[in-house]
Amino acid sequence: MHFLQARAVHDFAEQIGKKLAKAEELGAEGNVEDSMALMKEVDELKIQKRQAEEIYRSKLPPTSIQQQKLRVCEVCAAYLSLYDNDRRLADHFGGKLHMGFIKIRDRLKELQEEVAKKREAKEKERIQRREEREKERRERERKYKEGGDRDRRDRDRNRGRDRERSRERRRNGERHRDRDRER
């Protein structure tokens, strides 16, 4: 139960930090109206965060308040206090380390998707080659059975006869004709 309340405080802090960083960015770009709108949202989030902190503190025994102060940022693993001021949180969530981890995770996701696509393409290609080989094999068998490949059958038949003749000659002690002519 305490974890959920602490989590709510942390989530509000993260939202505040991100919106503050975005508001500063918009203000620097000259987009003052959008920046002011974000600042209003930040003020509303601050009120919600204070309420969540009060609920959280009221539920905790006095000895555990010191133990529950720090949380780990899920993006960059930095320690954040639940009670940090909004300026510090904005600096954290807009900081290079935090943003760098976000970029790394995004890039990792892109690379994993590329690898998955390549694997899928290779698998499709492998299946297609297997199907083509199977189709060719069936076609050869069909031709052979239908007699469409008579030359091949004749070669196979002649090859078998040639082997049989040479075996007989060896048994009878005869030599091959071509060898006898050379001498």
Side-chain angles (χ1 to χ4, degrees):
M1 191 64 155
H2 296 296
F3 174 75
L4 295 176
Q5 292 159 343
R7 181 76 186 153
V9 172
H10 180 73
D11 289 344
F12 282 125
E14 188 172 347
Q15 288 176 23
I16 289 169
K18 286 179 180 178
K19 289 196 184 227
L20 275 174
K22 185 67 175 171
E24 282 184 16
E25 186 181 308
L26 289 172
E29 292 172 357
N31 197 343
V32 179
E33 291 177 12
D34 289 342
S35 177
M36 294 300 287
L38 275 175
M39 290 306 292
K40 283 184 182 181
E41 290 179 30
V42 166
D43 289 338
E44 292 171 12
L45 286 170
K46 285 180 183 179
I47 293 168
Q48 293 174 349
K49 179 185 171 208
R50 274 189 227 110
Q51 291 171 346
E53 284 175 350
E54 288 173 14
I55 293 170
Y56 177 68
R57 283 190 195 131
S58 68
K59 303 277 183 178
L60 285 177
T63 56
S64 67
I65 290 177
Q66 290 298 323
Q67 296 171 352
Q68 298 291 326
K69 268 188 168 180
L70 294 178
R71 290 281 174 233
V72 175
C73 175
E74 291 181 8
V75 174
C76 66
Y79 282 112
L80 299 173
S81 173
L82 292 175
Y83 313 114
D84 273 341
N85 65 30
D86 300 330
R87 178 80 237 137
R88 186 178 183 301
L89 291 172
D91 288 344
H92 169 78
F93 292 115
K96 287 182 181 179
L97 182 69
H98 188 84
M99 298 305 286
F101 272 96
I102 291 172
K103 286 181 182 177
I104 288 171
R105 287 194 174 115
D106 290 345
R107 182 67 179 138
L108 176 64
K109 192 174 186 179
E110 289 173 12
L111 291 173
Q112 287 172 333
E113 289 171 358
E114 284 180 31
V115 167
K117 285 179 185 176
K118 286 180 181 180
R119 281 184 183 151
E120 188 177 312
K122 282 184 179 180
E123 182 64 18
K124 284 181 181 177
E125 186 178 309
R126 188 179 63 77
I127 289 170
Q128 186 178 10
R129 281 195 310 258
R130 187 181 337 143
E131 289 172 351
E132 287 173 2
R133 285 192 307 263
E134 182 63 24
K135 186 177 177 182
E136 289 171 2
R137 186 186 63 78
R138 281 193 221 118
E139 185 64 22
R140 282 193 308 267
E141 285 178 2
R142 185 187 61 76
K143 282 183 178 178
Y144 190 78
K145 288 178 182 175
E146 292 177 357
D149 198 3
R150 289 177 194 257
D151 292 338
R152 183 173 168 192
R153 277 194 307 192
D154 292 342
R155 271 195 316 268
D156 290 348
R157 193 177 310 124
N158 291 338
R159 193 176 298 138
R161 287 181 191 153
D162 291 344
R163 281 190 201 127
E164 191 60 36
R165 286 181 191 148
S166 65
R167 281 188 202 125
E168 263 184 55
R169 279 192 214 113
R170 273 185 258 136
R171 272 188 241 130
N172 296 333
E174 293 177 23
R175 290 198 158 172
H176 196 273
R177 284 187 218 155
D178 294 337
R179 288 187 199 150
D180 290 341
R181 287 184 195 155
E182 290 175 1
R183 291 184 180 180

